[in-house]
Amino acid sequence: MDQLDWNQLKAFLETAETGSLSAAARKLGLTQPTLSRQVAAIEQRMGVTLFERVGKTMALTTTGLDLLEHARAMGAAADALRLAATGRSEALGGVVSVSASDAVAAYLLPPLVQQLREQEPGIAIEVIASNALSDLLRREADIAVRHVKPEQPELIARLIRETAANFYASENWVKAHGHPRTAEEAARLPFIGSDRSGRFLAYLRQHGLPLTEANFSCYADHTVAHWALVRQGMGIGAMMDEIAQQTPGMVRVLDEVPPVLFPIWLVTHRELRTSRRIRVVFEALAQGLA
């Protein structure tokens, strides 16, 4: 067998991980036909069948399953090589990717990105808005703003501060419904829901609010959309105080209900802290978010 083509190996690995040609193509930044050709090419080069098409999914054959762990090991070695190379780079120019929740990405990061650009014009920041925890080990992001402390020993994290979220409504909503201050008053008022599975409702109940599904006037599982509905006057919603205070026309309600407290962590891979441009961005974000 000839020496394997790394792009073909990545095509095999991502298709196996996602179970879909289209999902793997999006992750690798390729078109689906290109990815399909790479999968077919590695099968031909190795002389084996790696996948069977089952409906819209790509199911691994027995041979594919046997080879998957070897491919993962090669992928991990390549990721480690890239991390080490990036970590030893002293070039100040280049792209640094920063992952954060959609609300932090939309409201807190833009002024910090602008300030960084003015101070270090050679650095371009890629903002990744995601409510999922980006996989720093696989370089889905160089730096992540998280609200939970990471447990992986390969990551280093700095606790920036603890922040608070309270309950808010629009000025027009308050004019129409009054200014509720207690948890008991909340029971008869409309709220913006976060999901329809009951998790958000259960959390609000644990926080002391005697609500039911009937209290939810609408739902939005992304914080920016959730906040837009609160601003529109659809009901009460929770938001980080620093974001709410920057939003015109919003009023804090349920003043006697305790705030929701949570930490802000800044996280990166330990190898990346030796990269000058990532150090610069990390320290700037730490100072700005503090």
Side-chain angles (χ1 to χ4, degrees), residues 132-175:
L133 296 180
S134 289
D135 190 346
L136 296 176
L137 300 181
R138 295 187 61 185
R139 290 301 304 278
E140 292 178 5
D142 297 319
I143 299 170
V145 183
R146 293 181 174 177
H147 301 305
V148 293
K149 183 179 180 180
E151 298 179 352
Q152 299 95 325
E154 297 88 349
L155 302 179
I156 57 174
R158 183 185 301 179
L159 177 60
I160 304 303
R161 61 182 168 92
E162 189 175 67
T163 190
N166 279 286
F167 294 93
Y168 292 87
S170 70
E171 289 179 348
N172 290 334
W173 186 95
V174 171
K175 289 177 183 177

Side-chain angles (χ1 to χ4, degrees), residues 83 86 96-98 134-137 139 141-146 150 152-158 265-275 277-279 281-283 285:
L83 280 169
T86 302
V96 176
S97 56
V98 179
S134 289
D135 190 346
L136 296 176
L137 300 181
R139 290 301 304 278
D142 297 319
I143 299 170
V145 183
R146 293 181 174 177
Q152 299 95 325
E154 297 88 349
L155 302 179
I156 57 174
R158 183 185 301 179
W265 290 89
L266 203 57
V267 189
T268 188
H269 194 284
R270 58 184 177 84
E271 284 278 1
L272 296 181
R273 288 300 304 275
T274 60
S275 168
R277 67 174 180 272
I278 294 177
R279 285 201 311 272
V281 174
F282 189 97
E283 295 301 331
L285 291 176

Side-chain angles (χ1 to χ4, degrees), residues 49-126:
T49 300
L50 300 172
F51 296 99
E52 292 178 349
R53 186 179 290 275
V54 180
K56 294 183 178 180
T57 64
M58 298 291 285
L60 283 164
T61 63
T62 301
T63 301
L65 282 169
D66 290 340
L67 297 178
L68 179 58
E69 288 306 314
H70 297 288
R72 282 174 172 163
M74 294 178 69
D79 289 339
L81 179 63
R82 284 195 296 270
L83 280 169
T86 302
R88 285 160 177 76
S89 172
E90 286 300 312
L92 194 54
V95 178
V96 176
S97 56
V98 179
S99 171
S101 67
D102 60 333
V104 172
Y107 298 112
L108 299 187
L109 287 188
L112 303 183
V113 171
Q114 182 182 32
Q115 184 178 3
L116 261 167
R117 185 65 177 178
E118 293 171 353
Q119 294 175 350
E120 302 292 347
I123 297 178
I125 304 298
E126 177 189 14

Side-chain angles (χ1 to χ4, degrees), residues 208-229:
L209 297 176
L211 305 181
T212 68
E213 289 287 350
N215 287 98
F216 294 138
S217 64
C218 53
Y219 298 84
D221 64 353
H222 280 75
T223 310
V224 172
H226 187 103
W227 189 232
L229 291 169

